[in-house]
Amino acid sequence: MKQRSITLHLVSGGIGQTLDSLARACDPHFPDVELEFRHWNLVRTRAQLRQVIKGVASEPGPVLSSLTDAALQMDLEEGCLRLGVKLLDVMKNTLNFLEGVTGTQASEGSAGGQYVMDENYFRRIDAMHYVIEHDDGQQTRELREADVVLVGVSRASKTPTCFYLANKGIKAANVPLVPDTPLPPELFDIKVPVIGLTIDPDSLIEIRRTRLITMVSGGNPASMRSTSYVDPEEVRGELLWAKRLCARHGWPVIDVTRRSIEETSAAVLNIIEHPNPAGLPG
């Protein structure tokens, strides 16, 4: 049981995703403390900042800030000082660190500047379109345009992983591995990484059963596949066949059983950036 509770105010000039991710990543390291997040996003005017300070006054607690506007940040610092609450300027501390290692002074950015429609933005949009058009083995003739190709049995989280990668500007295609079904010949001619996704049999069976129930409740009982789709012996055989196929072609394999989509994507990116043909990441 949590011994005490602390209200943590997250103040951002953008949508607050960076601060939220940071705070939630730190949260598990304090098991005896319940951190209650208060989000103050899109803070870009003094009037909005005054509302933030009022909110901190009504629920006193430490403040994490990623404001890029120097004047607003100074006002926030003064307000926190008056209220006697601690403030950490995450943006300033990170910029100071990077100035030290780059030997270059940081220029003043704009609120939400990381979301401008620059080259990276359009690359993410392009990657998203690519994923939609090349999901589940579609348009395999264009696999050579991918940055990575994921292969795996049905319900091994290929599609959600591809969409997460697309949000990072990675063109990810995926091809299902189905016993007795030939793979597209293009898969063996491409120069980009091909990565297999595998999963624990029991976990896969549970996922597939849930999927079948959803399909039936949706008024599509004809979509119920043969019992081999969830038969334990059949599923184990299917996974073993897929692993052997990947090993035969030298494709690294990632076990997604205890990984979130974010963790699986990070493992994929690690293979893309640091190829290791001799080893298979767990």
Side-chain angles (χ1 to χ4, degrees), residues 136-208:
D136 204 28
Q138 300 181 76
Q139 301 193 42
T140 55
R141 65 184 181 279
E142 298 176 359
L143 287 180
R144 60 176 54 87
E145 299 175 13
D147 295 312
V148 65
V149 178
L150 304 184
V151 298
V153 301
S154 172
R155 315 314 296 178
S157 76
K158 300 185 297 300
T159 295
T161 302
C162 284
F163 275 103
Y164 188 88
L165 290 169
N167 195 45
K168 294 185 174 295
I170 303 297
K171 290 183 178 180
N174 74 79
V175 176
L177 298 182
V178 182
D180 302 321
T181 299
L183 289 170
E186 293 85 357
L187 190 60
F188 307 101
D189 295 330
I190 57 178
K191 304 299 182 183
V192 302
V194 177
I195 301 173
L197 301 185
T198 191
I199 187 172
D200 173 75
D202 293 334
S203 299
L204 180 58
I205 291 170
E206 185 63 28
I207 292 171
R208 286 183 173 182

Side-chain angles (χ1 to χ4, degrees), residues 160 224 228 251:
M224 285 287 285
S228 62
W251 299 334

Side-chain angles (χ1 to χ4, degrees), residues 55-278:
V56 175
S58 64
E59 293 183 280
V63 177
L64 291 182
S65 167
S66 64
L67 293 175
T68 56
D69 187 303
L72 289 180
Q73 178 61 31
M74 186 175 298
D75 288 348
L76 178 61
E77 291 174 0
E78 292 176 354
C80 289
L81 186 61
R82 289 197 308 271
L83 295 173
V85 299
K86 292 185 178 297
L87 165 70
L88 175 63
D89 184 345
V90 176
M91 181 66 72
K92 181 178 179 180
N93 280 271
T94 304
L95 289 176
N96 287 343
F97 171 77
L98 291 176
E99 284 180 339
V101 298
T102 63
T104 304
Q105 185 170 355
S107 60
E108 185 166 346
S110 59
Q114 67 270 43
Y115 303 107
V116 298
M117 291 189 291
D118 57 8
E119 182 179 348
N120 290 329
Y121 170 83
F122 288 108
R123 177 174 173 77
R124 291 195 299 271
I125 296 299
D126 191 33
M128 195 66 71
H129 285 305
Y130 184 87
V131 168
I132 294 172
E133 294 171 356
H134 298 83
D135 182 40
D136 204 28
Q138 300 181 76
Q139 301 193 42
T140 55
R141 65 184 181 279
E142 298 176 359
L143 287 180
R144 60 176 54 87
E145 299 175 13
D147 295 312
V148 65
V149 178
L150 304 184
V151 298
V153 301
S154 172
R155 315 314 296 178
S157 76
K158 300 185 297 300
T159 295
T161 302
C162 284
F163 275 103
Y164 188 88
L165 290 169
N167 195 45
K168 294 185 174 295
I170 303 297
K171 290 183 178 180
N174 74 79
V175 176
L177 298 182
V178 182
D180 302 321
T181 299
L183 289 170
E186 293 85 357
L187 190 60
F188 307 101
D189 295 330
I190 57 178
K191 304 299 182 183
V192 302
V194 177
I195 301 173
L197 301 185
T198 191
I199 187 172
D200 173 75
D202 293 334
S203 299
L204 180 58
I205 291 170
E206 185 63 28
I207 292 171
R208 286 183 173 182
R209 281 177 177 160
T210 301
R211 171 61 174 165
L212 290 179
I213 292 172
T214 302
M215 293 165 73
V216 172
S217 63
N220 190 14
S223 299
M224 285 287 285
R225 308 186 188 189
S226 64
T227 54
S228 62
Y229 188 61
V230 292
D231 178 82
E233 186 174 345
E234 294 284 348
V235 170
R236 289 186 175 85
E238 183 182 356
L239 287 167
L240 180 60
W241 167 81
K243 282 185 179 181
R244 287 175 174 172
L245 176 70
C246 290
R248 187 161 64 248
H249 294 288
W251 299 334
V253 174
I254 299 172
D255 189 334
V256 305
T257 305
R258 295 175 180 82
R259 281 189 165 102
S260 64
I261 297 301
E262 294 86 350
E263 291 170 326
T264 299
S265 300
V268 170
L269 289 171
N270 190 52
I271 293 174
I272 294 175
E273 297 173 8
H274 310 285
N276 180 24

